[in-house]
Each structure stands twice: as C-alpha cells, then as structure tokens.
Amino acid sequence: CGGSVSDPSGLLQSPNYPGSYPNNADCVWEIQVKNNFRVTLTFRDIAMQRGTCQHDYIEVYDGPLHSSPLLGRLCSGSFPTYVSSSNMMSVRFHSNSRYPFRGFQAHYSSIPARHNTTIQCLPDYMHVVVSRNYLRSQGYSAQRVTLNDNRCRPTVTSQEVVFNIPYNGCGTIQEENNDTINYSNTIRVASSGYIIKRKKNINLHVSCKMLRKSWQQVVYAAEDTVDVNEYQFGRYNMNITFYDSPSFLRQVRSSPYFIDLNQNLYLQACLRSSDPNLKVVVDTCVASPDPHDFSTLAYYLVRNGCPRDSSYTTYYSPSSHFARFKFNAFEFMSRHPSVYLKCQMLVCRLGDYSSHCYRGCSSRAKRDTSPAEEEVDVVVGPLQLRERDAPSGST
C-alpha cells in the first residue's frame, strides 16, 4: 500500500477496501501534481475504530511526511476535505488494533493555484514570475522590481516580470539547518515616491529548500504588504550514461547497448545543479529484465552502499557532481533478452562527513536517510547480448 502518486486525480483507499484492513499496516501516499497546482483531498468513507485515534488513524500532511504541517488526524466522524498550500500532499494510514474495520476511501484532484507570483525550483536556478497586472493593481511599477544584487536584472514582458535566480550567485544565500539545505534571495519592489512614501516597500523572499526527498519552493512577503505564500516541489535532475572505457572519455550512445557476457561496463552518474557544494554517490543499483518491476526478478550490484557483486568497483571522479563505477555483464544476461538497471543515487552536502555519502556501506533501512540528503532513482537500459554467428570466448 502507499507509494508516489502523480496523476491529476485519483482514489486512495486502505488495504483490502471495502474488506477489512490488516493489523500493523503503515501506508504513506505522496501525491505530487503539476507545478502551481494544489491538491484537494475529500474523504468518501471512513470506518475505523472510534475514540482518540491512538491505534488506527489517518494523517494528512501539507507536503512531505517528515517535514510538513499536519492538516488533520482522523479515524471517524464526518468526511472532511483538505486543500494543500502546494503541489504536494502526503496521506498516512496506520493500524495497530485487534479489531477489523472497513477502512477508508478518499478522492483527490488538482486545482490551479491562481496566484500572482509563481516559482519553480529548476536544476540551475529559481524561476520566479511576478504578474505585472498585479503590480499595477497595487500601484507598483515593473521597473522598480530588483533583486538583492541589483546587477541581476529581470526580463520584463508586457504581462510579467521574470527572474532566473542562480543558486550560486546574484546574492543568493545558502544555509543549512536540521532538515533542509536552503537557497534564498529577496525580490524588492520599491515605492515610487521619492520624498513622501505612502506605501511600504515590498520584500518578496524567495526560497528553494532541499528536503530529504524533494525540492521545496517557498515564496513569502515580509511586512504584511502582500499575501503570498507559495510552495512547489520538484526533484533533482540526474542521469546515468555508459562509457566505453575506464578513461570515461567516450559515451556509448547506442540504445539498446549490445554487450558480451563478462564484458566490463563503465557508467557515470551526473547531477545537474549549479550548487558546487553537493556530492553524489551510488547508493543502490539493481538489475531486472522488466523496466517497471525491480523486485520480482532482481539482481543487486550494490545495496545501501555495500557491493553485492564481486565485479562492482567505483572510480575516482574529477567532480563531486559525478559518480563513476563499473561492473561486468553477468550470467543474468544469458537468460533474458534485455536487462535494465535502476540505480538509486544519494545527494549530500559536500564535506558533511556524517552523511551516508561519506560513510559508505551501511545496513540502514531505505527510509533512514539523514538530514540534508536526498535519494534519486534513475533507470537505464536496455542491455542486450550481442548476437554472434559462431561461438566465441568471453571478452
């Protein structure tokens, strides 16, 4: 039960619904819809143990489970509706009683946020758009909108003021606290009065916050001058490519990649981010003949940083944004026409020696990541055995 949900609408329900749910269930759904949309969740049925909701309950969070406000905790009564303040909402179902019940069913949908300021946390910069109609309605001029560093100018169109704010420049401040890595800047909208000011200046604070599993994007205004409070969520941009030798100079661009059994395969994972203070490592790599199922028929090369295949080796990388590794094509290939790899990469702060990026092999559970770390999944393939006219030796 549980999992990541990205469709614009759908149903959530307890295990076995409308039959009785099992004891000791713990399900978490992460609903993530398009940028600048919100999630609306409406419960249609709730049949659980009544009382104080200590044993069996549903929790609704305004964003990721471990770092967001709790919107509500319920186990009986009316059928409420919740609306997120961002494009993400988490729903947790927990059961710990001996009595069977039907459980719950809820419907979610996405609705446009319809705000005058939007933000996207892209891999290299914060993309912030302020509506000129909104500025005019409040008596402000687009020509008086600047950043902390006024040398970084916006693009002004007939409808919008657009800032592309780099994470590593234009006065962007980088900070780290217990559970996020924060990139923040301030868009300033000055009053047009020179001698007598009848309006306050607007300080529009813009932040991209790196949580355990996602980018959180925040816009808010100081001094109570504008009521703006926006959150958006996205993911790190990561790719993995094959190379033809341990020098990592020439990429393999053919797809599928035809190989021989026991052939050395060289791979490089690349994190696309303008923040130089990040480090990426290979956490887990698993092979499967099905690109959508990495549990039924699975072969682990490395798991939680611990090599499982004797041929798996890591290489020195010239950049902390790269992770290089190698393994040999294995007998698994001889039984399936195509093989895919799913690799989970771990992104941490550079120099954070308490993180799993530096500690290496770990027996931790999948969800047991420390603060300021994010796990990113990448699927590559297919790999296929090269056909030969006559038998030949291994390479």
Coordinates of all heavy atoms in Angstrom, one line a residue, residues 142-213:
A142 N 6.8 47.9 -12.7 CA 7.7 46.8 -13.0 C 9.1 47.2 -13.1 O 10.0 46.4 -12.9 CB 7.3 46.1 -14.4
Q143 N 9.4 48.5 -13.4 CA 10.8 49.0 -13.5 C 11.4 49.1 -12.1 O 12.6 49.3 -12.0 CB 10.8 50.3 -14.2 CG 10.8 50.2 -15.8 CD 9.5 49.5 -16.3 OE1 8.4 49.9 -15.8 NE2 9.6 48.6 -17.2
R144 N 10.7 49.0 -11.0 CA 11.2 49.2 -9.7 C 11.3 47.8 -9.0 O 11.4 47.8 -7.7 CB 10.4 50.2 -8.9 CG 10.3 51.5 -9.6 CD 9.7 52.6 -8.7 NE 10.5 52.8 -7.5 CZ 11.5 53.7 -7.5 NH1 11.9 54.3 -8.6 NH2 12.2 53.8 -6.3
V145 N 11.3 46.7 -9.7 CA 11.5 45.4 -9.1 C 12.9 44.9 -9.3 O 13.4 44.8 -10.4 CB 10.5 44.4 -9.8 CG1 10.6 43.0 -9.2 CG2 9.1 44.9 -9.7
T146 N 13.6 44.7 -8.2 CA 15.0 44.3 -8.3 C 15.3 43.2 -7.3 O 14.5 42.8 -6.4 CB 15.9 45.5 -7.9 OG1 15.6 45.9 -6.5 CG2 15.7 46.7 -8.8
L147 N 16.5 42.6 -7.5 CA 17.0 41.5 -6.5 C 17.9 42.2 -5.5 O 18.2 43.4 -5.5 CB 17.8 40.5 -7.3 CG 17.1 39.3 -8.0 CD1 18.1 38.4 -8.7 CD2 16.3 38.5 -7.0
N148 N 18.3 41.3 -4.5 CA 19.3 41.8 -3.5 C 20.5 42.4 -4.3 O 21.0 43.4 -3.9 CB 19.8 40.6 -2.7 CG 19.1 40.5 -1.4 OD1 18.5 41.5 -0.9 ND2 19.2 39.3 -0.7
D149 N 21.0 41.7 -5.3 CA 22.1 42.2 -6.1 C 21.4 42.8 -7.3 O 20.9 42.1 -8.2 CB 23.0 41.0 -6.6 CG 24.2 41.4 -7.4 OD1 24.2 42.6 -7.8 OD2 25.1 40.6 -7.6
N150 N 21.4 44.1 -7.3 CA 20.6 44.8 -8.4 C 21.3 44.8 -9.8 O 20.8 45.3 -10.7 CB 20.3 46.3 -8.0 CG 21.6 47.1 -7.7 OD1 22.7 46.7 -8.1 ND2 21.4 48.2 -7.0
R151 N 22.5 44.1 -9.8 CA 23.1 43.9 -11.1 C 22.4 42.8 -11.9 O 22.6 42.7 -13.1 CB 24.6 43.6 -11.0 CG 25.4 44.8 -10.4 CD 26.8 44.3 -10.1 NE 26.8 43.3 -9.0 CZ 27.9 42.7 -8.5 NH1 29.1 43.1 -9.0 NH2 27.8 41.8 -7.6
C152 N 21.7 41.9 -11.2 CA 21.0 40.8 -11.8 C 19.6 41.3 -12.1 O 18.7 41.4 -11.3 CB 21.0 39.6 -10.9 SG 22.6 39.0 -10.5
R153 N 19.3 41.6 -13.4 CA 18.1 42.3 -13.8 C 17.1 41.2 -14.3 O 17.5 40.2 -14.9 CB 18.3 43.3 -14.9 CG 19.4 44.3 -14.6 CD 19.0 45.2 -13.4 NE 17.7 45.9 -13.7 CZ 17.0 46.6 -12.8 NH1 17.5 46.7 -11.6 NH2 15.9 47.2 -13.2
P154 N 15.8 41.5 -14.1 CA 14.8 40.6 -14.6 C 14.5 40.8 -16.1 O 14.9 41.8 -16.7 CB 13.5 40.9 -13.8 CG 13.7 42.4 -13.5 CD 15.2 42.6 -13.4
T155 N 13.8 39.9 -16.7 CA 13.2 40.1 -18.0 C 11.8 40.6 -17.9 O 11.0 40.0 -17.2 CB 13.2 38.8 -18.8 OG1 14.6 38.3 -19.0 CG2 12.6 39.0 -20.2
V156 N 11.5 41.8 -18.4 CA 10.2 42.4 -18.3 C 9.4 42.3 -19.6 O 9.9 42.8 -20.6 CB 10.3 43.9 -17.9 CG1 8.9 44.5 -17.7 CG2 11.1 44.0 -16.5
T157 N 8.3 41.6 -19.6 CA 7.4 41.4 -20.8 C 6.2 42.3 -20.6 O 6.0 43.0 -19.5 CB 7.1 40.0 -21.0 OG1 6.1 39.6 -20.0 CG2 8.3 39.1 -21.0
S158 N 5.3 42.2 -21.5 CA 4.1 43.0 -21.4 C 3.2 42.5 -20.2 O 2.3 43.3 -19.7 CB 3.3 43.0 -22.7 OG 2.9 41.7 -23.0
Q159 N 3.4 41.3 -19.8 CA 2.5 40.7 -18.8 C 3.2 40.3 -17.5 O 2.6 40.2 -16.5 CB 1.8 39.4 -19.4 CG 1.0 39.6 -20.6 CD -0.2 40.4 -20.4 OE1 -0.8 40.3 -19.3 NE2 -0.6 41.2 -21.3
E160 N 4.6 40.1 -17.6 CA 5.2 39.5 -16.4 C 6.6 40.2 -16.2 O 7.2 40.8 -17.1 CB 5.5 38.0 -16.7 CG 4.2 37.2 -16.9 CD 4.5 35.8 -17.4 OE1 5.5 35.6 -18.1 OE2 3.6 34.9 -17.2
V161 N 7.1 40.0 -15.0 CA 8.5 40.3 -14.6 C 9.1 38.9 -14.2 O 8.6 38.2 -13.3 CB 8.5 41.2 -13.4 CG1 10.0 41.5 -13.0 CG2 7.8 42.6 -13.7
V162 N 10.1 38.5 -15.0 CA 10.6 37.2 -14.8 C 12.1 37.2 -14.3 O 12.9 37.9 -14.9 CB 10.6 36.4 -16.2 CG1 11.1 35.0 -16.1 CG2 9.2 36.4 -16.8
F163 N 12.3 36.5 -13.2 CA 13.7 36.4 -12.7 C 14.1 34.9 -12.8 O 13.4 34.0 -12.5 CB 13.7 36.7 -11.2 CG 13.7 38.2 -10.9 CD1 12.5 38.8 -10.6 CD2 14.8 38.9 -10.8 CE1 12.4 40.1 -10.3 CE2 14.8 40.3 -10.5 CZ 13.6 40.9 -10.3
N164 N 15.4 34.7 -13.3 CA 16.0 33.4 -13.3 C 17.2 33.6 -12.3 O 18.3 34.1 -12.7 CB 16.5 33.0 -14.7 CG 15.4 32.6 -15.6 OD1 14.4 32.1 -15.1 ND2 15.5 32.8 -16.9
I165 N 17.0 33.2 -11.1 CA 18.0 33.5 -10.0 C 18.9 32.3 -9.7 O 18.4 31.2 -9.3 CB 17.2 33.8 -8.7 CG1 16.1 34.9 -9.0 CG2 18.1 34.3 -7.6 CD1 15.2 35.1 -7.8
P166 N 20.2 32.4 -10.0 CA 21.1 31.2 -9.8 C 21.2 30.9 -8.3 O 21.1 31.7 -7.5 CB 22.4 31.7 -10.4 CG 22.3 33.2 -10.4 CD 20.9 33.5 -10.5
Y167 N 21.4 29.6 -8.1 CA 21.6 29.2 -6.7 C 23.0 29.6 -6.2 O 23.2 29.6 -4.9 CB 21.5 27.6 -6.6 CG 20.2 27.1 -6.9 CD1 20.0 26.1 -7.9 CD2 19.0 27.6 -6.3 CE1 18.8 25.6 -8.2 CE2 17.8 27.1 -6.7 CZ 17.7 26.1 -7.6 OH 16.4 25.6 -7.9
N168 N 23.9 29.9 -7.1 CA 25.3 30.2 -6.7 C 25.7 31.6 -7.2 O 26.8 31.8 -7.7 CB 26.2 29.2 -7.2 CG 27.6 29.2 -6.5 OD1 27.6 29.4 -5.3 ND2 28.7 29.0 -7.2
G169 N 24.8 32.6 -7.0 CA 25.1 34.0 -7.5 C 23.9 34.9 -7.3 O 22.9 34.5 -6.7
C170 N 24.1 36.2 -7.7 CA 23.1 37.2 -7.6 C 22.6 37.4 -6.2 O 21.4 37.7 -5.9 CB 21.9 36.8 -8.5 SG 22.2 37.0 -10.2
G171 N 23.5 37.2 -5.2 CA 23.2 37.4 -3.8 C 22.4 36.3 -3.2 O 21.9 36.5 -2.0
T172 N 22.3 35.2 -3.8 CA 21.6 34.0 -3.2 C 22.4 33.5 -2.0 O 23.6 33.4 -2.0 CB 21.4 32.9 -4.2 OG1 20.6 33.3 -5.3 CG2 20.8 31.7 -3.6
I173 N 21.7 33.3 -0.9 CA 22.3 32.9 0.4 C 22.0 31.4 0.5 O 20.9 30.9 0.3 CB 21.7 33.7 1.6 CG1 22.0 35.2 1.4 CG2 22.3 33.2 2.9 CD1 21.3 36.1 2.4
Q174 N 23.1 30.7 0.9 CA 23.0 29.2 1.2 C 23.1 29.0 2.7 O 24.1 29.4 3.3 CB 24.1 28.5 0.4 CG 24.1 28.7 -1.1 CD 25.2 28.0 -1.8 OE1 25.7 27.0 -1.2 NE2 25.5 28.4 -3.0
E175 N 22.2 28.3 3.2 CA 22.2 27.9 4.6 C 21.8 26.5 4.8 O 21.1 25.9 4.0 CB 21.2 28.8 5.4 CG 21.5 30.3 5.4 CD 20.5 31.1 6.1 OE1 19.3 30.9 5.8 OE2 20.9 31.9 6.9
E176 N 22.2 25.9 5.9 CA 21.8 24.5 6.2 C 21.3 24.4 7.7 O 21.9 25.0 8.6 CB 23.0 23.6 6.1 CG 22.7 22.1 6.3 CD 23.9 21.2 6.0 OE1 24.9 21.8 5.4 OE2 23.8 20.0 6.2
N177 N 20.1 23.8 7.8 CA 19.6 23.6 9.2 C 19.4 22.1 9.4 O 19.9 21.3 8.7 CB 18.4 24.4 9.5 CG 17.2 24.1 8.5 OD1 17.1 23.0 8.0 ND2 16.4 25.0 8.2
N178 N 18.6 21.8 10.4 CA 18.5 20.3 10.8 C 17.9 19.4 9.7 O 18.3 18.3 9.6 CB 17.6 20.2 12.0 CG 18.3 20.7 13.3 OD1 19.5 20.7 13.3 ND2 17.5 21.1 14.3
D179 N 17.0 20.0 8.8 CA 16.4 19.1 7.8 C 16.3 19.6 6.4 O 15.7 19.0 5.6 CB 15.0 18.7 8.3 CG 14.1 19.9 8.5 OD1 14.5 21.0 8.2 OD2 12.9 19.7 8.9
T180 N 17.0 20.8 6.1 CA 16.9 21.3 4.8 C 18.2 22.0 4.4 O 19.0 22.4 5.3 CB 15.8 22.4 4.6 OG1 16.0 23.4 5.6 CG2 14.4 21.7 4.8
I181 N 18.5 22.1 3.1 CA 19.5 23.0 2.6 C 18.8 24.1 1.9 O 18.0 23.8 1.0 CB 20.4 22.3 1.6 CG1 21.1 21.0 2.2 CG2 21.5 23.2 1.0 CD1 21.8 20.1 1.3
N182 N 19.0 25.3 2.3 CA 18.2 26.5 1.9 C 18.9 27.4 0.9 O 20.1 27.7 1.2 CB 17.7 27.3 3.0 CG 16.9 26.5 4.0 OD1 16.4 25.4 3.7 ND2 16.7 27.0 5.2
Y183 N 18.3 27.7 -0.2 CA 18.8 28.8 -1.1 C 17.8 29.9 -1.1 O 16.6 29.7 -1.5 CB 19.0 28.2 -2.5 CG 19.9 27.0 -2.6 CD1 19.4 25.7 -2.5 CD2 21.3 27.1 -2.7 CE1 20.2 24.6 -2.6 CE2 22.1 26.0 -2.8 CZ 21.5 24.7 -2.7 OH 22.3 23.6 -2.8
S184 N 18.2 31.1 -0.7 CA 17.2 32.2 -0.6 C 17.7 33.5 -1.2 O 18.9 33.7 -1.2 CB 16.8 32.4 0.9 OG 17.9 32.7 1.7
N185 N 16.8 34.3 -1.7 CA 17.1 35.6 -2.2 C 15.9 36.5 -1.9 O 14.8 36.0 -1.5 CB 17.4 35.5 -3.7 CG 18.4 36.6 -4.1 OD1 18.2 37.8 -3.8 ND2 19.4 36.2 -4.9
T186 N 16.0 37.8 -2.2 CA 14.9 38.7 -1.9 C 14.7 39.5 -3.2 O 15.6 40.2 -3.7 CB 15.2 39.6 -0.7 OG1 15.5 38.8 0.4 CG2 14.0 40.5 -0.4
I187 N 13.4 39.5 -3.6 CA 13.0 40.4 -4.7 C 12.4 41.6 -4.0 O 11.4 41.5 -3.2 CB 12.0 39.7 -5.6 CG1 12.6 38.5 -6.3 CG2 11.4 40.7 -6.6 CD1 11.6 37.7 -7.1
R188 N 12.9 42.8 -4.4 CA 12.4 44.0 -3.7 C 11.6 44.9 -4.7 O 12.0 45.1 -5.9 CB 13.6 44.9 -3.2 CG 14.5 44.1 -2.3 CD 15.6 45.0 -1.7 NE 16.5 44.1 -0.9 CZ 16.3 43.7 0.3 NH1 15.2 44.1 0.9 NH2 17.2 43.0 1.0
V189 N 10.4 45.3 -4.2 CA 9.6 46.2 -5.0 C 9.5 47.5 -4.3 O 8.9 47.6 -3.2 CB 8.2 45.6 -5.2 CG1 7.4 46.5 -6.2 CG2 8.3 44.2 -5.8
A190 N 10.1 48.6 -4.9 CA 10.2 49.8 -4.2 C 9.0 50.7 -4.5 O 8.5 50.7 -5.6 CB 11.5 50.5 -4.5
S191 N 8.6 51.5 -3.5 CA 7.6 52.5 -3.8 C 8.1 53.6 -4.7 O 9.3 53.9 -4.7 CB 7.1 53.1 -2.4 OG 6.3 54.2 -2.6
S192 N 7.2 54.2 -5.5 CA 7.6 55.2 -6.5 C 7.8 56.6 -5.9 O 8.3 57.5 -6.5 CB 6.6 55.3 -7.6 OG 5.3 55.6 -7.1
G193 N 7.5 56.7 -4.6 CA 7.6 58.1 -4.0 C 9.1 58.3 -3.6 O 9.8 57.4 -3.1
Y194 N 9.6 59.5 -3.9 CA 11.0 59.8 -3.6 C 11.1 60.6 -2.3 O 12.0 60.4 -1.5 CB 11.6 60.6 -4.7 CG 11.8 59.8 -6.0 CD1 10.9 59.8 -7.0 CD2 12.9 59.0 -6.1 CE1 11.1 59.0 -8.1 CE2 13.1 58.2 -7.2 CZ 12.2 58.2 -8.2 OH 12.4 57.5 -9.4
I195 N 10.2 61.5 -2.0 CA 10.2 62.4 -0.9 C 9.2 61.9 0.2 O 9.6 61.7 1.4 CB 9.9 63.8 -1.2 CG1 11.0 64.4 -2.2 CG2 9.9 64.7 0.0 CD1 10.7 65.8 -2.7
I196 N 8.0 61.6 -0.2 CA 7.0 61.1 0.7 C 6.5 59.8 0.2 O 6.1 59.6 -1.0 CB 5.8 62.1 0.7 CG1 6.2 63.4 1.3 CG2 4.7 61.5 1.6 CD1 5.1 64.4 1.2
K197 N 6.7 58.8 1.0 CA 6.3 57.4 0.7 C 4.9 57.1 1.4 O 4.8 57.2 2.6 CB 7.3 56.4 1.1 CG 8.6 56.4 0.3 CD 9.4 55.2 0.6 CE 10.6 55.1 -0.3 NZ 11.5 53.9 0.0
R198 N 3.9 56.8 0.6 CA 2.6 56.4 1.1 C 2.4 54.9 1.2 O 1.4 54.5 1.7 CB 1.5 57.1 0.2 CG 1.6 58.6 0.2 CD 0.4 59.2 -0.5 NE 0.6 60.7 -0.5 CZ 0.3 61.5 0.5 NH1 -0.2 61.0 1.6 NH2 0.4 62.8 0.3
K199 N 3.4 54.1 0.6 CA 3.3 52.7 0.7 C 4.6 52.1 1.2 O 5.7 52.7 1.0 CB 3.1 52.1 -0.7 CG 1.7 52.5 -1.3 CD 1.5 51.8 -2.6 CE 0.2 52.1 -3.2 NZ 0.0 51.4 -4.5
K200 N 4.5 51.0 1.8 CA 5.8 50.3 2.2 C 6.4 49.7 1.0 O 5.8 49.3 0.1 CB 5.4 49.2 3.2 CG 4.9 49.7 4.6 CD 4.7 48.5 5.5 CE 4.2 49.0 6.8 NZ 3.9 47.8 7.7
N201 N 7.8 49.5 1.1 CA 8.4 48.7 0.1 C 8.1 47.2 0.3 O 7.9 46.8 1.5 CB 9.9 48.9 0.2 CG 10.4 50.3 -0.2 OD1 9.7 51.0 -1.0 ND2 11.5 50.8 0.3
I202 N 8.1 46.4 -0.8 CA 7.8 45.0 -0.6 C 9.1 44.2 -0.7 O 9.9 44.5 -1.5 CB 6.9 44.5 -1.8 CG1 5.5 45.2 -1.7 CG2 6.7 43.0 -1.7 CD1 4.6 44.9 -2.9
N203 N 9.3 43.3 0.3 CA 10.4 42.4 0.3 C 9.8 41.0 0.0 O 9.1 40.4 0.9 CB 11.1 42.4 1.6 CG 11.9 43.6 1.8 OD1 12.4 44.2 0.8 ND2 12.1 44.0 3.0
L204 N 10.0 40.5 -1.2 CA 9.4 39.2 -1.6 C 10.5 38.2 -1.4 O 11.4 38.1 -2.2 CB 8.9 39.3 -3.0 CG 8.1 38.0 -3.5 CD1 6.9 37.9 -2.8 CD2 7.9 38.2 -5.0
H205 N 10.5 37.4 -0.4 CA 11.5 36.4 -0.1 C 11.3 35.1 -0.9 O 10.2 34.6 -0.8 CB 11.5 36.1 1.4 CG 11.8 37.3 2.3 ND1 13.1 37.8 2.4 CD2 11.0 38.1 2.9 CE1 13.0 38.9 3.2 NE2 11.7 39.1 3.5
V206 N 12.2 34.7 -1.6 CA 12.1 33.5 -2.5 C 13.1 32.5 -2.0 O 14.3 32.8 -1.8 CB 12.5 33.9 -3.9 CG1 12.3 32.7 -4.8 CG2 11.6 35.1 -4.4
S207 N 12.6 31.2 -1.8 CA 13.5 30.2 -1.2 C 13.3 28.9 -2.0 O 12.1 28.5 -2.3 CB 13.2 30.0 0.3 OG 13.5 31.1 1.0
C208 N 14.3 28.1 -2.2 CA 14.3 26.7 -2.6 C 14.9 26.0 -1.5 O 16.1 26.2 -1.1 CB 15.0 26.5 -3.9 SG 14.2 27.1 -5.4
K209 N 14.1 25.0 -0.9 CA 14.6 24.3 0.2 C 14.8 22.8 -0.2 O 13.9 22.2 -0.6 CB 13.7 24.4 1.4 CG 13.6 25.8 2.0 CD 12.7 25.8 3.2 CE 12.7 27.3 3.8 NZ 11.9 27.3 5.0
M210 N 16.0 22.3 0.1 CA 16.3 20.9 -0.2 C 15.9 20.0 0.9 O 16.6 20.1 2.0 CB 17.8 20.8 -0.6 CG 18.3 19.4 -0.7 SD 17.5 18.5 -2.0 CE 18.7 17.2 -2.2
L211 N 14.9 19.2 0.8 CA 14.5 18.3 1.9 C 15.0 16.9 1.7 O 15.8 16.7 0.8 CB 12.9 18.2 1.9 CG 12.2 19.6 2.2 CD1 10.7 19.4 2.1 CD2 12.6 20.2 3.5
R212 N 14.6 16.0 2.5 CA 15.2 14.6 2.4 C 14.9 14.0 1.0 O 15.7 13.3 0.5 CB 14.6 13.7 3.5 CG 15.0 14.1 4.9 CD 14.3 13.2 5.9 NE 14.5 11.8 5.6 CZ 13.9 10.8 6.2 NH1 12.8 11.1 7.0 NH2 14.2 9.6 5.9
K213 N 13.7 14.3 0.5 CA 13.3 13.7 -0.8 C 13.0 14.6 -1.9 O 12.7 14.1 -3.0 CB 12.1 12.7 -0.5 CG 12.5 11.5 0.4 CD 11.3 10.6 0.4 CE 11.6 9.4 1.2 NZ 10.4 8.5 1.3

